[in-house]
Amino acid sequence: MDSPAGRLQRAPEGFIDRDGVRTVFRQARESRRDFLRSAFAAAAAGAAAPAALGQANPLPAEGGDPNILQLPEHSKGLGLPVATEGYGKPSKYEVNVQRRPSPGLTQTAQASVSFAPLQSLFGIVTPAGLHFERHHQGWWDVDPSKHRLMVNGSDPSLLKRPMVFAMDELMRLPSVSRFHFIECGANTGMEWGNVAVPTVQYTHGMLSCSEFTGVPLRVLFDLAGVDYKRARYVLAEGADGSSMTRTIPMEMVESGEVLVAYGQNGEMLRPENGYPLRLVVPGVQGVSWVKYLRRLEVGDQPYGTKDEVIHYVDLMPDGRHRQYTSIQEVKSVVTTPSGGQVLLDRGFYNISGLAWSGRARIKRVDVSVDGGRSWRQARLEGPVLPKCLTRFNVDWVWDGKPAVVQSRATDETGHVQPTYRQLRAVRGTRSIYHNNAIQSWLVQESGEVKNVQLS
Ligand SMILES: Nc1nc2c(c(=O)[nH]1)N[C@H]1C(S)=C(S)[C@@H](COP(=O)(O)O)O[C@H]1N2
Ligand SMILES: [Mo]
């Protein structure tokens, strides 16, 4: 996501998904009205208004609504028959939980992106249908019976046996399943200079996490007889029209982490995510996770392809570009409360969010509600896996006053997520990629939550 994000910094208004945000506000306001109505009704009937926490309806004996003991239709009648469509869908009440593209961000819907609704997700796994999408030249539903993966060397002496695998041949090989996050290097790229987008879906939604199943690439290279002493680089190539090509350092392959994957959350990859085969490069920015993977070449130097020397480079304050900065550094974000949401009343809230690092496991997450003046350690929910999303939670009682909510992650290698001030001191403000700064959400007195940056 290079030029689109650049364009966005100049025209943030085109990016705001007003419908999506409005829906969140509307729903929250409506349920707030319902809550207030029932509280007033209870008070009028002589009972104390329910406390903000757990607004349980009072029993009729306590002056509550007598209808509350009436059984609803679904407790009395016959339910629906076994679903006729064999593949299940979410409840119709969850229709607002959608991936969202950003109107005006890109000129075509083929070279574009849709963001995952992080604000609506629990735990660490992204349902396949909500996985963010990034395509440089549109997506395809590739026929797996015709798909092939070729393994070759830039020079015949680097690899003894060039090979071509069909999908069923790959799927006979020993497989592993591992949980990893994938984050586009341009995630949060719109926010380098200033606040640009309203919700966590747009600030951080080029992020997803799945259990991937596939064959360690090392297994294929062993079969092909790679000369690991001399072949220190791998070129990965996709079969779509974008000719996506990236150099992967051989150490990553030798560690056994890089997978040639066909499975995602227990089923085959979705077409949007590279069906039937994609590269999984844990901890590395999304662009190296080549989809529709058709060729792997080993070589004795980095390839310097268009997707690594012109695109996906970091513009530094001195005007030079950094290349091959592929690791996604330690990062976190609070997903509730987050921009566009509304806190209904003062009282108890569970602050919840996600933390991740391309280097290791998450070691701790600290949360602040006063813009970074004081911090409290959050609970990390298991499992806490390397190069994977980690869910964190912390209790909070909101006193109704403006609050700035932030999270700061530390990984097992000791890297700590920077503030915007720290990050900009090194990287400047004109980059696109690898923004891992601490995110701030302002909870206003009205309860409405806004994306802000502290200077
Ligand atoms: N073949 C191919 N692979 C690709 C891309 C692409 O356009 N074509 N986009 C890359 C980028 S920039 C990202 S961020 C990830 C996105 O993966 P997803 O669409 O499964 O979320 O795929 C990467 N692999
Ligand atoms: Mo990307």
Side-chain angles (χ1 to χ4, degrees), residues 236-420:
E237 181 184 82
D240 53 329
S242 70
S243 299
M244 174 57 66
T245 39
R246 289 284 302 183
T247 303
I248 316 291
M250 189 62 94
E251 303 91 83
M252 289 187 182
V253 178
E254 288 174 300
S255 77
E257 284 194 327
V258 177
L259 307 182
V260 170
Y262 43 80
Q264 180 182 348
N265 296 336
E267 58 184 356
M268 287 297 285
L269 289 163
R270 291 291 169 91
E272 308 92 289
N273 305 120
Y275 180 90
L277 200 62
R278 92 175 301 168
L279 203 61
V280 166
V281 195
V284 170
Q285 61 179 338
V287 66
S288 291
W289 296 47
V290 174
K291 302 190 276 189
Y292 321 107
L293 182 69
R294 73 164 169 209
R295 194 167 71 90
L296 294 159
E297 180 180 295
V298 301
D300 54 9
Q301 54 191 348
Y303 283 78
T305 71
K306 67 171 168 45
D307 294 307
E308 50 201 22
V309 298
I310 304 173
H311 308 300
Y312 300 92
V313 292
D314 298 326
L315 179 58
M316 302 299 280
D318 67 1
R320 291 193 294 176
H321 281 94
R322 282 195 321 199
Q323 295 178 343
Y324 293 112
T325 47
S326 350
I327 303 281
Q328 295 299 101
E329 300 289 356
V330 65
K331 188 165 170 181
S332 70
V333 68
V334 170
T335 52
T336 316
S338 63
Q341 295 182 328
V342 182
L343 302 196
L344 301 183
D345 212 335
R346 62 189 66 190
F348 181 87
Y349 288 92
N350 176 42
I351 296 179
S352 187
L354 294 166
W356 62 101
S357 163
R359 293 186 183 274
R361 277 188 185 79
I362 289 298
K363 190 166 139 215
R364 67 182 279 166
V365 176
D366 297 289
V367 169
S368 175
V369 293
D370 57 12
R373 277 190 286 276
S374 64
W375 296 89
R376 266 196 304 151
Q377 197 170 341
R379 297 190 304 276
L380 302 187
E381 307 299 337
V384 179
L385 300 167
K387 306 178 186 180
C388 183
L389 294 189
T390 295
R391 173 65 63 177
F392 65 86
N393 290 303
V394 67
D395 300 344
W396 182 40
V397 178
W398 182 43
D399 59 8
K401 302 209 182 80
V404 176
V405 179
Q406 304 178 320
S407 63
R408 180 183 65 198
T410 304
D411 71 17
E412 276 191 331
T413 67
H415 283 74
V416 183
Q417 192 181 359
T419 62
Y420 264 106

Side-chain angles (χ1 to χ4, degrees), residues 1 134 184-185 286-287 312:
M1 249 203 56
R134 171 70 177 115
C184 176
V287 66
Y312 300 92

Side-chain angles (χ1 to χ4, degrees), residues 125-204:
V125 170
T126 313
L130 296 174
H131 194 290
F132 85 96
E133 293 170 79
R134 171 70 177 115
H135 317 301
H136 288 74
Q137 193 88 334
W139 61 274
W140 297 90
D141 200 353
V142 173
D143 180 347
S145 71
K146 301 211 173 86
H147 189 72
R148 297 288 182 275
L149 173 69
M150 176 165 137
V151 176
N152 70 288
S154 64
D155 173 317
S157 71
L158 295 176
L159 176 149
K160 286 204 194 81
R161 290 170 293 276
M163 300 181 89
V164 174
F165 296 90
M167 283 305 297
D168 52 2
E169 291 166 333
L170 284 173
M171 293 172 80
R172 287 171 64 171
L173 296 173
S175 72
V176 296
S177 295
R178 303 213 180 111
F179 289 88
H180 289 298
F181 75 83
I182 166 173
E183 181 184 23
C184 176
N187 201 23
T188 326
M190 289 74 76
E191 303 271 317
W192 269 106
N194 47 268
V195 166
V197 292
T199 65
V200 71
Q201 182 155 14
Y202 292 130
T203 57
H204 289 77

